[in-house]
């Protein structure tokens, strides 16, 4: 039993294994991939209709940025409409970034109105990785972070470093 | 770890001496499903996707997935040459890959180096009992070390799980009509992997369902129209095959003009399920039109019955899913991130190790890994507040990386992220192109040669146009900027 979403996700996953971009990684969450459907090949009906497919992901903060070497954890939630619909992506590590909400949700155009079905897991993660040091302060999700980024870079860096150190302890 | 399915992928070439084939294979794959093109169709903006992929996306968004230009499904055109390229490439893919891997093996023997490549080679083998086309890593590991496994007669026929997948996927073990060198009788039939009875390809799925459930005595019924015989690509017969008629295709309808009952009747007339709300009926009709029309495009169309089965799969997954699911699960407001991180600690630790490893590799610095553990985690008793002192091991690596190799992560970051995953290019290819632009290669020697023959004015134009294809291609891509979204 496979659907186009599931085949695509497996493909994305393989790509993340064989040729991952530097500093990011992702893998499906155990017990979820295979319980999505009954695994018997004759089965045409999902016996456990879990509507989502989940992945855990990690982004290492890029070098020469305040986020350097942070180990930021994320979760990704894919629906059956993937890749025609973007996945839900959120940080589960504590973040201090102008475009990340307190809940960890991201404010990133390619995950919303500029999504393209040509993106894959690797592309999403590298985009988020580059967003870390290249925030957009015109539409802040975290106003405090945005203001500090604009007006008090030293304090901003300090707050970011706190989240980096926190990420090592998780 | 969960069972991991194996898919052929362009990155299969990367660890072999034929790594240069990775970008070639990548361009033979649809950028939406990342599979080899199935019935490639070209948009008005000259981008190509699988028929079903592009039809589904156009019916949803009305734009090209690659460049976001508005487009309509009626403007789609077949891309025959690409279909032939895919068919011809996939015929030889397995043998090429085996060849490349055996080449690598002999290289390895010289270097007495054993690492990932061997693993990967095993992974590609299909399971001996072959009831499924996928093999698991754990299974592969259990198999006898296959250094010289004398070409196990690979399972003769493997069934695609889903007809919507590429007909060419895993073509090495499928598609008898394209393969000349297999031991399979070239009778256009395929064998059931369970009972080994041979039958027409379009019967195999329904037969397999019965066969596995122990009902294999069901006679292979012949009520279907026979599958059209396909001539090998590249032959005159192939080019002359009469493609399905244009007027077979179904039109989209303006759902807002139809009442519930009129739409219900429409679905009944089409012979598809007509239950559910108007929204469900609308989505079902759209999916049916996409499935149907993509099948009309196909060189090798399947029967309506098979299309109905695909619609059933859709019904059980997407159809059942309501439109507003975005705020549940992980994305729910009350999702407890902190607790989740604790529960998934071991998985995240693995991922951190992988991410670090790859980064170290990218900087050409060997990372020190003791027993496969994460490089020294920060000690809680370490009270030095300066973060730069907390991870001296990694800092050391990074400094070295920056000094020894100009193309460090930072450089890669600026070049790669916008293109990665969007272009059919790999990192390797991108780097290669960058290199081509930075130092004079053979092209420039040609142009100087030309310029010496009173073509001086064209020499600079020559090198510029060499770079032009890449740039114009990149110009077509979705906006490479990753600016934050303004809600």
């Amino acid at each position: 039993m496979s659907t186009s979403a599931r085949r695509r996700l497996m493909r994305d996953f393989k790509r993340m294994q064989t040729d991952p971009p530097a500093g990011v990684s992702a893998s499906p969450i155990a017990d979820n991939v295979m319980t999505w459907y009954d695994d018997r090949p004759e089965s045409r009906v999902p016996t456990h209709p879990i509507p989502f497919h989940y992945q855990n992901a990690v982004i290492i903060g890029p070098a020469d940025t305040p986020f350097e070497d942070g180990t930021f954890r994320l979760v990704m939630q894919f629906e059956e409409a993937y890749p025609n619909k973007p996945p839900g992506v959120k940080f589960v590590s504590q973040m201090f970034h102008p475009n990340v909400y307190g809940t960890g949700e991201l404010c990133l155009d390619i995950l919303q109105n500029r999504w393209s079905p040509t993106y894959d897991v690797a592309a999403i993660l590298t985009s988020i990785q580059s967003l870390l040091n290249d925030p957009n302060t015109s539409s802040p999700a975290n106003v405090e972070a945005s203001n500090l980024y604009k007006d008090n870079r030293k304090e901003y860096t300090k707050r970011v470093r706190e989240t980096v150190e926190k990420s090592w302890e998780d | 770890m969960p069972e991991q399915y194996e898919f052929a992928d362009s990155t299969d070439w990367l660890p072999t001496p034929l790594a240069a084939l990775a970008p070639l294979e990548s361009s033979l794959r649809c950028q939406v499903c990342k599979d080899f093109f199935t019935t490639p169709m070209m948009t008005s903006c000259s981008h190509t996707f699988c028929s079903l992929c592009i039809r589904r996306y156009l019916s949803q968004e009305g734009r090209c997935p690659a460049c976001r230009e508005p487009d309509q499904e009626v403007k789609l055109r077949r891309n025959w040459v690409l279909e032939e390229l895919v068919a011809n490439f996939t015929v030889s893919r397995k043998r090429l890959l085996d060849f490349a891997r055996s080449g690598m093996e002999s290289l390895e023997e010289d270097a007495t180096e054993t690492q990932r490549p061997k693993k990967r080679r095993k992974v590609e083998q299909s399971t001996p009992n072959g009831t499924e086309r996928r093999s698991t890593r754990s299974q592969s590991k259990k198999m006898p070390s296959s250094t010289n496994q004398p070409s196990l007669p690979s399972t003769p026929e493997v069934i695609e799980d889903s007809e919507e997948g590429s007909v060419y996927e895993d073509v090495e073990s499928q598609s008898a009509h394209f393969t000349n060198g297999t031991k399979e009788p070239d009778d256009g039939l395929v064998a059931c992997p369970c009972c080994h009875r041979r039958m027409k390809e379009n019967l195999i799925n329904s037969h397999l369902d019965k066969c596995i459930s122990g009902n294999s005595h069901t006679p292979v019924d012949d009520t279907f129209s026979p599958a059209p015989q396909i001539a090998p690509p590249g032959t005159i017969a192939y080019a002359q095959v009469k493609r399905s008629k244009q007027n077979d295709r179904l039109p989209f309808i303006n759902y807002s003009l139809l009442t519930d009952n009129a739409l219900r009747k429409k679905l009944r007339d089409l012979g598809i399920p007509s239950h559910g709300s108007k929204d469900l009926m609308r989505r079902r009709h759209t999916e049916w039109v996409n499935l149907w029309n993509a099948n009309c495009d196909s060189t090798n169309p399947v029967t309506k019955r098979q299309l109905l089965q695909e619609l059933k799969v859709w019904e059980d997954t997407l159809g059942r899913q309501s439109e507003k699911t975005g705020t549940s699960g992980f994305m729910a407001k009350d999702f407890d991130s902190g607790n989740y991180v604790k529960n998934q600690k071991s998985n995240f630790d693995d991922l951190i190790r992988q991410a670090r490893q790859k980064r170290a590799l990218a900087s050409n610095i060997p990372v020190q890994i003791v027993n496969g553990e994460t490089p020294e985690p920060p000690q809680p008793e370490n009270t030095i507040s300066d973060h730069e002192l907390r991870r001296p091991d990694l800092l050391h690596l990074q400094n070295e990386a920056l000094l020894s190799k100009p193309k460090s992560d930072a450089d890669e970051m600026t070049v790669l992220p916008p293109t990665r995953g969007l272009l059919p290019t790999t990192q390797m290819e991108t780097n290669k192109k960058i290199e081509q632009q930075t130092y004079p290669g053979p092209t420039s020697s040609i142009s100087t040669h030309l310029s010496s023959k009173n073509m001086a004015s064209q020499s600079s134009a020559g090198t510029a146009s060499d770079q032009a294809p890449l740039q114009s291609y990149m110009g077509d891509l979705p906006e490479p900027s990753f600016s934050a979204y303004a809600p």
Side-chain angles (χ1 to χ4, degrees), chain A residues 4 8 10-11 14-15 18 20 25 29 37 56 68-69 77 79 90 107 109 112 114 116 118-119, chain B residues 7-8 10-12 32 34 65 68 164 317 321 330 340 344 347 351 356 358 398 421-422 483 485:
Chain A
S4 53
R8 171 59 137 71
M10 290 302 172
R11 225 167 255 296
K14 171 158 184 182
R15 174 60 64 95
T18 53
S25 58
I29 298 174
Y37 294 104
N56 287 337
E68 176 162 349
D69 212 33
Q77 170 171 300
E79 354 173 351
K90 81 198 271 185
C107 195
D109 57 354
Q112 277 122 15
R114 294 197 63 81
S116 159
T118 60
Y119 297 144
Chain B
F7 288 95
S10 56
T11 52
D12 290 340
V32 173
K34 316 279 182 189
R68 303 181 204 278
E164 85 196 342
T317 52
Q321 193 164 305
F330 282 165
Y340 181 79
Q344 295 280 323
N347 185 250
L351 287 172
R356 283 195 199 285
K358 170 64 189 180
Q398 281 150 9
L422 317 180
S483 57
Y485 165 58

Side-chain angles (χ1 to χ4, degrees), chain B residues 402-418:
Chain B
L402 287 173
L403 290 174
S404 64
K405 198 175 170 244
K407 262 185 201 153
S408 70
D409 280 358
D411 294 1
E412 199 177 282
M413 280 282 303
T414 56
V415 177
L416 284 177

Side-chain angles (χ1 to χ4, degrees), chain B residues 333-406:
Chain B
K333 293 287 173 220
D334 56 354
F335 176 72
D336 185 350
S337 296
N339 206 19
Y340 181 79
V341 170
K342 276 185 206 116
N343 289 340
Q344 295 280 323
K345 184 169 176 20
S346 65
N347 185 250
F348 277 123
D349 285 349
D350 276 351
L351 287 172
I352 290 168
R353 195 177 62 236
Q354 282 175 29
R356 283 195 199 285
Q357 252 173 325
K358 170 64 189 180
R359 204 169 64 146
L361 282 174
S363 328
N364 264 349
I365 303 294
V367 70
Q368 290 177 354
I369 292 166
V370 186
N371 298 332
E373 284 303 314
T374 317
E376 194 62 18
Q379 299 301 314
E381 64 269 23
N382 187 347
T383 50
I384 303 169
S385 60
D386 187 352
H387 66 267
E388 294 192 351
L389 291 176
R390 290 192 66 167
R391 306 201 52 111
D393 49 343
L394 292 164
L395 198 82
H396 165 70
L397 291 183
Q398 281 150 9
N399 288 342
E400 243 182 48
L402 287 173
L403 290 174
S404 64
K405 198 175 170 244

Side-chain angles (χ1 to χ4, degrees), chain A residues 1-4 6-8 10-15 17-31 33-34 37 39-42 44-46 49 51-52 54-58 60-64 68-69 71 73-77 79-81 83-85 88-93 99 101 103 105 107-110 112-120 122-123 126-127 129-131 136 139 161 165 168-170, chain B residues 2-12 14 29 31-35 49 56-57 60 63 65-66 68 116 120 124 132-134 137 160-162 164-166 169 209 212 312-313 316-318 320-321 323 325-326 328-333 335 337 340-341 344-345 347-349 351-352 354-356 358-359 362 378 385 387 390-391 394-395 398 402 409-410 412-413 417 420-422 426 478-479 481-487:
Chain A
M1 173 68 203
S2 92
T3 63
S4 53
R6 186 168 160 173
R7 292 167 59 83
R8 171 59 137 71
M10 290 302 172
R11 225 167 255 296
D12 286 9
F13 176 53
K14 171 158 184 182
R15 174 60 64 95
Q17 300 274 299
T18 53
D19 186 28
V24 304
S25 58
S27 77
I29 298 174
D31 297 331
V33 190
M34 292 307 140
Y37 294 104
D39 214 23
R40 290 169 301 165
E42 74 269 28
R44 291 268 162 195
V45 196
F52 300 119
Y54 302 113
Q55 295 203 358
N56 287 337
V58 163
I60 309 279
D64 302 322
E68 176 162 349
D69 212 33
T71 50
R73 296 155 177 82
L74 302 98
V75 289
M76 308 175 91
Q77 170 171 300
E79 354 173 351
E80 267 291 339
N84 285 343
K85 291 275 171 64
V89 181
K90 81 198 271 185
F91 280 102
V92 289
S93 292
N99 305 116
Y101 289 98
T103 57
E105 275 167 77
C107 195
L108 182 60
D109 57 354
I110 63 147
Q112 277 122 15
N113 58 351
R114 294 197 63 81
W115 170 255
S116 159
T118 60
Y119 297 144
D120 61 3
T126 47
S127 309
Q129 193 182 37
S130 65
L131 176 75
N136 179 348
S139 64
R161 290 309 304 177
E165 299 193 7
W168 296 337
E169 286 153 19
D170 277 336
Chain B
E3 189 182 9
Q4 289 160 3
Y5 290 4
E6 283 304 326
F7 288 95
D9 187 77
S10 56
T11 52
D12 290 340
L14 292 182
R29 287 173 177 273
Q31 284 302 295
V32 173
C33 66
K34 316 279 182 189
D35 204 341
F49 306 92
R56 276 181 173 151
Y57 192 68
Q60 179 192 310
R63 290 180 288 133
R68 303 181 204 278
R116 306 172 63 191
R120 219 169 268 160
E124 272 299 309
E132 300 192 355
R133 63 187 260 292
R134 56 214 185 193
R137 269 200 197 145
E160 269 292 309
D161 277 351
S162 146
E164 85 196 342
S166 170
E169 179 60 30
D209 288 349
I212 289 172
K312 177 82 170 66
V313 171
D316 290 334
T317 52
L318 265 169
R320 197 175 282 186
Q321 193 164 305
E323 288 284 309
T325 45
S328 47
F330 282 165
M331 304 312 283
K333 293 287 173 220
F335 176 72
S337 296
Y340 181 79
V341 170
Q344 295 280 323
K345 184 169 176 20
N347 185 250
F348 277 123
D349 285 349
L351 287 172
I352 290 168
Q354 282 175 29
R356 283 195 199 285
K358 170 64 189 180
R359 204 169 64 146
S385 60
H387 66 267
R390 290 192 66 167
R391 306 201 52 111
L394 292 164
L395 198 82
Q398 281 150 9
L402 287 173
D409 280 358
E412 199 177 282
M413 280 282 303
R420 175 173 279 286
L422 317 180
T426 61
E479 186 70 11
S481 72
F482 296 105
S483 57
Y485 165 58

Side-chain angles (χ1 to χ4, degrees), chain B residues 47-312:
Chain B
H47 292 108
T48 301
F49 306 92
C50 299
S51 181
L52 190 55
C53 294
I54 186 63
R55 284 174 182 281
R56 276 181 173 151
Y57 192 68
L58 285 179
S59 66
Q60 179 192 310
E61 300 289 331
R63 290 180 288 133
C64 170
C67 66
R68 303 181 204 278
E69 281 294 308
D71 205 3
Q72 293 166 303
E73 49 110 30
V74 288
K75 294 186 184 156
L76 295 174
R77 292 292 175 266
R78 290 296 312 267
N79 190 339
W80 292 117
V81 73
L82 191 51
E83 180 159 2
E84 284 185 34
L85 280 169
V86 168
N88 287 323
F89 179 77
T90 47
V91 164
S92 41
R93 185 184 191 275
K94 184 173 174 11
R95 265 176 273 172
L96 271 174
L97 197 57
D98 286 346
F99 177 74
R101 285 172 175 161
S102 63
M104 183 172 59
E105 217 169 286
S106 56
L107 286 179
E108 260 175 22
E109 275 160 18
D110 296 344
T112 59
E113 193 194 308
T114 57
Q115 262 302 312
R116 306 172 63 191
K118 278 197 176 174
K119 233 184 200 170
R120 219 169 268 160
R121 179 164 37 78
K122 279 188 262 177
V123 146
E124 272 299 309
Q125 293 166 347
S126 43
T127 52
N129 53 9
T131 46
E132 300 192 355
R133 63 187 260 292
R134 56 214 185 193
S135 65
T136 66
R137 269 200 197 145
S138 48
Q139 277 171 337
S140 316
K141 275 177 197 152
K142 277 177 225 152
M143 291 198 332
S145 166
S146 64
T147 339
N148 48 12
Q149 210 167 16
S151 63
L152 256 183
S154 59
T155 43
E157 292 302 330
V158 187
I159 307 301
E160 269 292 309
D161 277 351
S162 146
E163 290 78 17
E164 85 196 342
S166 170
V167 289
Y168 302 124
E169 179 60 30
D170 296 339
V171 74
E172 51 264 27
S173 53
Q174 210 192 6
S175 286
H177 40 260
F178 287 145
T179 319
N180 301 321
T182 53
K183 304 115 210 167
E184 283 292 303
D186 189 15
D187 55 2
L189 301 178
V190 295
C192 170
C194 298
C195 64
H196 301 293
R197 290 167 65 193
R198 301 184 65 75
M199 65 202 71
K200 286 170 193 155
E201 202 175 353
N202 61 349
L203 300 182
I204 189 75
N205 276 327
S206 52
H207 165 79
L208 189 57
D209 288 349
K210 293 171 196 156
C211 195
I212 289 172
S213 58
N215 198 8
S216 64
H217 295 301
T218 357
V220 178
D221 57 336
D222 251 343
T223 52
F224 298 109
S225 59
Q229 286 291 320
I230 310 254
T235 64
I236 294 172
Y238 181 84
Q240 286 177 343
V241 172
K242 191 158 182 339
R243 311 300 173 185
S244 46
K245 282 166 281 169
Q246 188 76 26
N247 60 10
D248 286 339
R249 287 171 178 72
L250 293 172
F252 277 103
I253 49 182
N254 188 340
Y255 300 105
S256 52
L257 292 180
L258 288 177
T259 64
D260 285 23
N261 281 336
L263 182 54
R264 212 173 293 282
K265 179 171 184 311
K266 191 121 204 142
L267 300 191
R268 265 199 301 271
D269 292 347
L270 287 170
I272 59 178
S274 58
H275 58 83
S277 65
K278 184 172 181 187
D279 178 63
L280 178 60
M281 287 193 290
R282 175 185 62 79
R283 291 191 292 132
R284 183 188 296 127
H285 182 266
T286 305
E287 174 69 7
W288 179 250
V289 172
N290 288 334
L291 285 170
W292 182 273
N293 291 351
N295 193 45
C296 292
D297 295 334
S298 174
T299 318
N300 187 15
V302 299
T303 61
K304 184 176 179 184
R305 198 151 135 184
Q306 273 169 294
L307 288 183
L308 283 169
Q309 276 175 7
E310 284 176 42
L311 188 67
K312 177 82 170 66

Side-chain angles (χ1 to χ4, degrees), chain B residues 408-475:
Chain B
S408 70
D409 280 358
D411 294 1
E412 199 177 282
M413 280 282 303
T414 56
V415 177
L416 284 177
T419 59
R420 175 173 279 286
L422 317 180
L423 270 173
T425 53
T426 61
Q427 172 183 342
M428 176 197 61
E429 192 194 17
T430 315
N431 289 342
K432 226 176 259 165
K433 281 179 177 154
I434 291 161
E435 278 165 30
Q436 277 170 10
Q437 292 177 3
T438 48
Y439 67 85
T443 32
S444 63
S445 69
I446 289 168
S447 52
T448 45
H449 174 65
L450 289 175
S451 69
S452 70
K453 292 185 177 177
N454 73 31
M455 292 173 82
S457 62
Q458 286 181 19
S459 67
S460 58
T463 39
S465 67
D466 285 337
Q467 296 170 13
L470 171 67
Q471 280 158 2
S472 64
Y473 190 16
M474 290 176 69

